[in-house]
Amino acid sequence: IVECTLPLACLGWDFVQERNECKEGMGGYMCQSCLSGYTRPHDKMHAPCSRCGWTSPVPFVLVLLLFSAGIWVLGVLSVDAACWGNMHSVLLRLALNYFAMASVLSRLEDWELEPKVGTSYAGWLVRSLDALFRFDGGVA
């Protein structure tokens, strides 16, 4: 007998059908995977699966249009800076570099820091960096 690693997902062994019974949406060996149409957060691998929400192309198109508009604005500002020598292009580059660096820091994991700072501080440091620098664009 093997103990289920996700106790919330396992309902027990069905002796009649000779298979493991899993909670709705869970499946696979020891109920560790999500069935088709179900998902779980990428950063919570031991969470139970929940039904996928309805998806629409509208948010994708909206993000694509906003992203394109942002690139156009940055292009106009860069041309303006090249023609007139304004400082805002340098500030924009500094801001973009800051957010690129901050996004890398927020993605560090415990095991990457343990050799440098020790096991006791790695978890605390990763949670702190995640809280300070994680930006998901409002998509949770």
Side-chain angles (χ1 to χ4, degrees), residues 4-135:
C4 184
T5 56
L6 297 172
L8 295 174
C10 296
L11 300 176
W13 184 262
D14 185 351
F15 288 99
V16 176
Q17 296 180 6
E18 295 184 356
R19 65 184 178 104
N20 192 22
E21 291 292 320
C22 303
K23 180 181 172 187
E24 180 185 357
M26 305 295 288
Y29 179 71
M30 294 179 58
C31 305
Q32 292 183 342
S33 61
C34 295
L35 297 176
S36 180
Y38 289 83
T39 186
R40 78 177 93 195
H42 70 280
D43 57 342
K44 297 179 180 160
M45 295 311 296
H46 295 289
C49 300
S50 58
R51 187 173 296 278
C52 294
W54 180 77
T55 58
S56 166
V58 173
F60 172 75
V61 171
L62 184 63
V63 167
L64 184 65
L65 289 174
L66 289 173
F67 187 73
S68 299
I71 290 174
W72 179 80
V73 167
L74 289 175
V76 168
L77 291 176
S78 295
V79 169
D80 182 49
C83 292
W84 303 102
N86 292 333
M87 189 67 175
H88 58 264
S89 66
V90 173
L91 295 176
L92 287 172
R93 287 184 192 146
L94 286 172
L96 290 173
N97 287 337
Y98 168 78
F99 284 114
M101 180 272 316
S103 68
V104 169
L105 283 178
S106 70
R107 301 308 194 264
L108 288 175
E109 295 187 22
D110 296 3
W111 64 270
E112 296 172 301
L113 296 177
E114 284 177 1
K116 300 290 183 190
V117 298
T119 306
S120 58
Y121 293 112
W124 174 83
L125 188 57
V126 166
R127 285 189 304 276
S128 299
L129 289 171
D130 185 54
L132 289 172
F133 296 117
R134 174 68 53 104
F135 177 71

